[in-house]
């Protein structure tokens, strides 16, 4: 029986729209302000970095859009080592200028805590400020799970700020760790068992974490603080 899902699998032609959603979600947050303190420079820099990772995700993962285009998720399939994006260091330097040090510090922090067990990594949950942003975030994440669970792997997410942890917990995520960002804000590292075909024992939270892995972890994996956009993780 065919089941209609609330999301569509994104294609290469959707990259611009995905980048716009991520940018609009990140820019109003305190993390966005810490990464790029200059307000005028922030949208362009965030967009340039988001584009690096959205493009890479369409090669090594998946992305999904709500059918009305108001929210998106971007994923990496981490069941094997993933190389860094082509010309990553050069592109990051070009995108971020003198702010690149902050982006790299965030990269290093998150990469050092990434689970070693095979998983699907939620790199972005983008739902920009809107009257129904909470509903859009919930719909796109739940719809994406219906696709991703078919791979039989657990999912992993980093959540910056605690305003919407309830959404993640309602959808089955559980805390692995909490770490502090370089600016002092908390980051919750979450794990969710696959609810479809499972391989091994994905319901068991991973006990060992790598010390960096084969490539940098996508940045801007975030959840907005109270008063900001809902999530981008």
């Amino acid at each position: 029986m065919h089941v209609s899902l609330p999301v569509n699998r994104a294609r290469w032609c959707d990259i611009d729209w995905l980048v716009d959603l991520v940018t609009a979600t990140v820019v109003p947050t305190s993390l966005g302000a810490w990464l790029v303190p200059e307000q005028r420079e922030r949208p362009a820099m965030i967009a340039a970095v988001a584009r690096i990772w959205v493009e890479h995700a369409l090669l090594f993962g998946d992305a999904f859009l709500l059918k009305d285009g108001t929210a998106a998720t971007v994923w990496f399939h981490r069941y094997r080592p993933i190389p860094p994006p082509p010309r990553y260091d050069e592109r990051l330097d070009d995108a971020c200028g003198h702010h690149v040090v902050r982006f790299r510090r965030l990269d290093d922090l998150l990469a050092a805590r990434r689970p070693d067990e095979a998983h699907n990594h939620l790199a972005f949950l983008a739902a920009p400020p809107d009257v129904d942003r909470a509903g859009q975030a919930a719909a796109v994440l739940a719809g994406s799970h219906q696709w991703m669970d078919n791979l039989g792997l657990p999912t992993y997410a980093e959540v910056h700020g605690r305003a919407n942890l309830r959404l993640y917990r309602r959808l089955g995520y559980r805390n692995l760790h909490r770490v502090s960002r370089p600016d002092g804000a908390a980051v919750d590292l979450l794990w969710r068992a696959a609810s479809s075909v499972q391989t091994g024992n994905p319901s068991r939270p991973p006990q060992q974490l790598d010390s960096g892995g084969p490539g940098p972890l996508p940045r801007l994996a975030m959840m907005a603080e109270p008063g900001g956009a809902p999530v981008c993780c």
Side-chain angles (χ1 to χ4, degrees):
M1 179 178 67
H2 176 72
V3 177
S4 178
L5 299 180
V7 298
N8 290 323
R9 199 173 190 178
R11 299 174 295 170
W12 198 260
C13 62
D14 297 315
I15 286 176
D16 287 347
W17 188 243
L18 293 167
V19 170
D20 287 348
L21 287 172
V22 172
T23 303
T25 303
V26 174
V27 165
T29 67
S30 68
L31 178 58
W34 176 74
L35 288 169
V36 187
E38 289 82 357
Q39 188 172 0
R40 292 184 179 180
E41 297 179 1
R42 193 179 307 148
M45 288 188 180
I46 297 297
V49 175
R51 181 174 296 276
I52 293 172
W53 289 108
V54 169
E55 290 179 354
H56 205 50
L58 291 186
L59 297 175
F60 292 95
D62 274 298
F64 302 95
L65 282 157
L66 273 186
K67 289 186 175 178
D68 64 3
T70 57
T73 59
V74 179
W75 302 80
F76 282 89
H77 302 315
R78 292 193 177 275
Y79 54 84
R80 58 182 174 82
I82 295 176
R87 300 173 42 248
Y88 174 69
D89 289 334
E90 179 184 345
R91 292 181 68 186
L92 191 63
D93 287 340
D94 289 344
C96 303
H98 62 283
H99 299 300
V100 72
V101 173
R102 298 186 183 215
F103 284 84
R104 292 194 191 284
R105 288 176 68 190
L106 184 60
D107 272 349
D108 293 342
L109 170 71
L110 298 181
R113 305 297 294 184
R114 185 176 68 214
D116 188 50
E117 183 174 338
H119 62 277
N120 292 312
H121 175 208
L122 178 60
F124 298 108
L125 173 49
D130 185 86
V131 293
D132 189 32
R133 61 182 182 253
Q136 292 160 353
V140 74
L141 185 54
S144 300
H145 286 159
Q146 291 179 268
W147 279 86
M148 300 300 287
D149 283 346
N150 290 326
L151 300 176
L153 292 175
T155 56
Y156 172 73
E158 305 103 344
V159 178
H160 297 240
R162 305 188 66 187
N164 290 291
L165 278 174
R166 184 178 301 176
L167 166 63
Y168 283 86
R169 288 171 178 156
R170 188 170 74 243
L171 293 177
Y173 287 85
R174 298 294 179 262
N175 281 74
L176 286 178
H177 300 280
R178 177 173 294 163
V179 298
S180 294
R181 279 192 333 229
D183 64 339
V187 184
D188 285 283
L189 311 180
L190 306 181
W191 186 261
R192 173 183 174 274
S195 59
S196 182
V197 178
Q198 297 188 350
T199 58
N201 185 18
S203 62
R204 176 182 56 82
Q207 299 301 310
Q208 294 185 343
L209 303 172
D210 70 17
S211 60
L217 189 71
R219 69 205 38 74
L220 306 182
M222 70 189 66
M223 196 169 187
E225 302 77 3
V231 278
C232 180
C233 148

